[in-house]
Amino acid sequence: MAAKKESKLTELINRIQEFVNYCWSGVWKETRDTSGIRTIKVLNLSVRSFLDRDLQSRSMSLTYSTVLAIVPAFALLFAIGRGFGFQNLLEDQLYQSFPAQRKGLEFALKFVDSYLKEASQGLFVGIGIVFLLWTLISLLSYIESSFNHIWDVKHDRSFYQKVTDYTSICLMVPVLMICSSGVSIFMSAIVQDNIHFAFLSPLVNIALETSPVVLAWLAFSLSFFLIPNTKVKFKYAAISGAICAIVFQILQMLFVNGQIYVSKYNAIYGSFAFLPLLLIWLQLSWLILLFGCVLTYSLQNVLNFNFIGDIKKMSENYERKVTIILTAAIVSRFRKGKTPLTRSQLSFYYDIPIQVVTNLCEQLQKAGFINYVMLPDDRTGVAPATETGNLTVGELLRRLDHVGDSNFIPRFSLIYRDILDKIDSWLDDCYDSLDTRKIADIDLPEDIDKEKIVNATPKPFIHSDDSDVKPVSSDD
């Protein structure tokens, strides 16, 4: 009997291990496209991306930046609020939005009052405004950088764009908070207190109770949609925003209901007991935001990840082979008069991971082989930047080998001059032997079904992830 139970337990453990292995690696070999398989792939890719990008460290950095910017941010918020005469309204809105951090908000608002008094007179006016804008722009810039890192976007917005966009955000947030509070007050005072609208009271109560979740959903969704310097589909941002809003509200409830444990911290930290709780809450909140961005990225790109393996460990030999294939694909489409493909489409059509396509296109652009061109549907395609008929494999590898910095080691060229000349001669011989092989002569296999998909409109899963490197428009 005992042996039978042990065999069943062993069988159960083996099945669990098989399922875990399937979810972690086997699912990428699946050719079926069911909702269950896609869900496993999205979760798998989200976990992989979260771990690979070291988002825990980024959430810590954002927590530090938030603590640095919190007083200037509130100062700007209440300066605008005072101009409209809604300072008390803004305070109530903050307490309602962040009930778990009431003590922290009260502590910060004391500094805000002092900040505004000092900033309204003397030399501190100009310095205070500069410091205020610098801390806010730095925080928002780091948020954008984190989002771009998740999306594999190589370039942030220009400094001018950052200043204009971030300043607009800083000015719009307090106005939206005031409008939100005004709508809540209007619904409570006018609709609920008026007997003619008594039948609407249940709906108004539901709306008021769900408004924090709805506002959090809008805030998260717009963040995932607008902040990355690339095109994001709003439906994926909205799905991630809904999940993050629910998780954020759960976090709020846990911190509010866990206030009874603050007394234990009082014995250790005294009047600063709220500070460690505030830092924990901030870091968890940033983790939720970053994971939501990862989830949006996974939802939009899951069909481009039909592989398993660590790209960072790719050998130089294998990278050269992929580079030649990718260049041949770009050249072949150009010579056949076909519409240039975006990097996502190149990834899908030629079965090359999107990160590899992105990295190799960066190298090819720096070497002067490709340009990014605007397509009629406001996406960015990849096209040759040089004459393609006589482009050889030797010339391709020769110019790629010179991309990047060199001769930066002091005295290296002087000490090893003779050896370096020999190495250059050996490499030139290798390149010369490959100059007889033209890129245009490489005949790539075609997939008719995939060709139909990439040329179909609208494209249900392919996004234009090429906004980070385009000479035509930086907000494509």
Side-chain angles (χ1 to χ4, degrees):
M1 192 64 151
K4 197 172 185 179
K5 287 184 178 179
E6 185 177 351
S7 64
K8 287 185 177 180
L9 181 61
T10 304
E11 184 181 354
L12 178 62
I13 294 173
N14 290 334
R15 287 186 178 182
I16 293 174
Q17 288 179 341
E18 289 176 1
F19 179 74
V20 171
N21 291 333
Y22 172 79
C23 292
W24 186 248
S25 58
V27 70
W28 298 110
K29 300 175 184 178
E30 281 283 0
T31 57
R32 294 174 297 168
D33 186 21
T34 64
S35 58
I37 291 174
R38 187 174 296 192
T39 300
I40 294 175
K41 285 185 176 181
V42 168
L43 294 176
N44 185 316
L45 182 57
S46 298
V47 173
R48 285 177 182 272
S49 299
F50 189 89
L51 296 176
D52 292 343
R53 286 163 173 77
D54 194 21
L55 298 186
Q56 184 75 21
S57 298
R58 288 186 173 267
S59 69
M60 293 178 184
S61 300
L62 285 168
T63 300
Y64 168 79
S65 300
T66 305
V67 173
L68 182 66
I70 192 169
V71 172
F74 282 165
L76 178 63
L77 186 70
F78 282 95
I80 297 174
R82 284 179 179 179
F84 286 99
F86 293 120
Q87 180 177 352
N88 295 331
L89 194 64
L90 283 175
E91 288 186 17
D92 293 338
Q93 184 75 1
L94 284 172
Y95 291 140
Q96 291 175 11
S97 300
F98 307 104
Q101 300 304 326
R102 188 177 185 88
K103 287 188 177 181
L105 290 173
E106 292 173 352
F107 195 73
L109 292 179
K110 292 179 182 178
F111 287 108
V112 169
D113 291 334
S114 302
Y115 188 96
L116 291 175
K117 287 179 183 178
E118 294 295 330
S120 61
Q121 56 187 352
L123 179 64
F124 192 76
V125 176
I127 299 174
I129 292 175
V130 171
F131 179 75
L132 182 149
L133 293 176
W134 177 79
T135 51
L136 294 180
I137 290 175
S138 297
L139 175 61
L140 292 172
S141 179
Y142 192 75
I143 296 172
E144 180 191 342
S145 176
S146 300
F147 277 33
N148 288 342
H149 177 67
I150 291 171
W151 279 90
D152 291 320
V153 175
K154 301 300 180 183
H155 301 281
D156 294 341
R157 289 177 173 85
S158 65
F159 179 76
Y160 174 76
Q161 278 187 305
K162 287 182 179 181
V163 172
T164 55
D165 293 351
Y166 298 165
T167 302
S168 301
I169 292 173
C170 293
L171 295 176
M172 286 299 298
V173 167
V175 175
L176 292 175
M177 291 182 66
I178 292 169
C179 294
S180 174
S181 298
V183 171
S184 300
I185 293 173
F186 172 80
M187 293 176 67
S188 299
I190 304 299
V191 177
Q192 289 185 316
D193 296 341
N194 193 319
I195 58 174
H196 299 292
F197 298 103
F199 66 95
L200 293 176
S201 293
L203 295 177
V204 172
N205 290 332
I206 293 174
L208 291 175
E209 289 176 0
T210 57
S211 60
V213 181
V214 174
L215 291 175
W217 170 67
L218 286 174
F220 281 119
S221 300
L222 291 175
S223 298
F224 303 146
F225 180 66
L226 297 175
I227 293 179
N229 191 28
T230 185
K231 286 200 172 182
V232 181
K233 289 192 174 182
F234 184 75
K235 64 178 181 179
Y236 298 130
I239 294 172
S240 301
I243 295 173
C244 289
I246 295 171
V247 175
F248 182 73
Q249 292 302 317
I250 294 173
L251 177 66
Q252 292 281 68
M253 289 189 293
L254 290 175
F255 268 83
V256 170
N257 296 328
Q259 294 299 317
I260 57 175
Y261 295 103
V262 174
S263 58
K264 296 181 180 179
Y265 285 94
N266 288 336
I268 303 173
Y269 295 100
S271 59
F272 289 95
F274 75 90
L275 189 57
L277 294 176
L278 173 65
L279 295 177
I280 293 171
W281 178 81
L282 281 174
Q283 185 172 353
L284 291 176
S285 299
W286 283 122
L287 276 175
I288 291 172
L289 182 73
L290 294 176
F291 183 77
C293 183
V294 168
L295 184 60
T296 307
Y297 171 79
S298 301
L299 287 168
Q300 187 159 307
N301 290 284
V302 66
L303 291 182
N304 288 332
F305 285 81
N306 54 348
F307 71 99
I308 188 69
D310 191 348
I311 293 172
K312 296 178 182 178
K313 297 179 181 179
M314 186 166 59
S315 68
E316 290 188 15
N317 177 270
Y318 194 63
E319 182 175 335
R320 280 195 298 269
K321 292 177 181 177
V322 178
T323 303
I324 294 171
I325 294 296
L326 181 63
T327 307
I330 297 170
V331 168
S332 174
R333 292 190 66 86
F334 176 79
R335 294 182 65 81
K336 292 178 180 178
K338 296 182 178 180
T339 303
L341 300 180
T342 67
R343 286 181 296 179
S344 289
Q345 290 174 324
L346 286 169
S347 170
F348 171 74
Y349 187 78
Y350 294 101
D351 294 298
I352 304 173
I354 183 64
Q355 295 103 321
V356 175
V357 173
T358 300
N359 295 336
L360 295 184
C361 282
E362 283 288 309
Q363 298 298 314
L364 290 171
Q365 187 197 32
K366 291 176 181 177
F369 286 115
I370 65 166
N371 272 333
Y372 295 94
V373 296
M374 295 299 298
L375 301 177
D377 49 2
D378 292 331
R379 292 175 300 116
T380 308
V382 182
T386 185
E387 197 276 325
T388 59
N390 295 319
L391 177 61
T392 65
V393 175
E395 179 65 15
L396 174 68
L397 298 180
R398 183 183 292 111
R399 287 167 61 178
L400 284 175
D401 272 357
H402 288 84
V403 172
D405 297 331
S406 58
N407 295 328
F408 58 86
I409 303 176
R411 301 179 64 240
F412 184 81
S413 298
L414 294 175
I415 297 173
Y416 305 105
R417 177 183 299 172
D418 294 337
I419 301 175
L420 292 177
D421 289 341
K422 290 181 180 179
I423 293 174
D424 287 337
S425 176
W426 297 337
L427 291 175
D428 286 338
D429 291 340
C430 295
Y431 296 142
D432 291 342
S433 67
L434 292 172
D435 279 337
T436 58
R437 308 295 181 183
K438 293 183 179 181
I439 296 291
D441 293 337
I442 299 176
D443 190 18
L444 299 178
E446 291 191 4
D447 190 326
I448 298 176
D449 293 333
K450 285 188 175 181
E451 179 74 21
K452 291 178 180 178
I453 293 175
V454 297
N455 289 324
T457 54
K459 299 169 181 59
F461 63 91
I462 297 174
H463 77 291
S464 179
D465 58 350
D466 310 303
S467 60
D468 51 319
V469 280
K470 41 186 175 301
V472 182
S473 173
S474 58
D475 57 355
D476 174 35

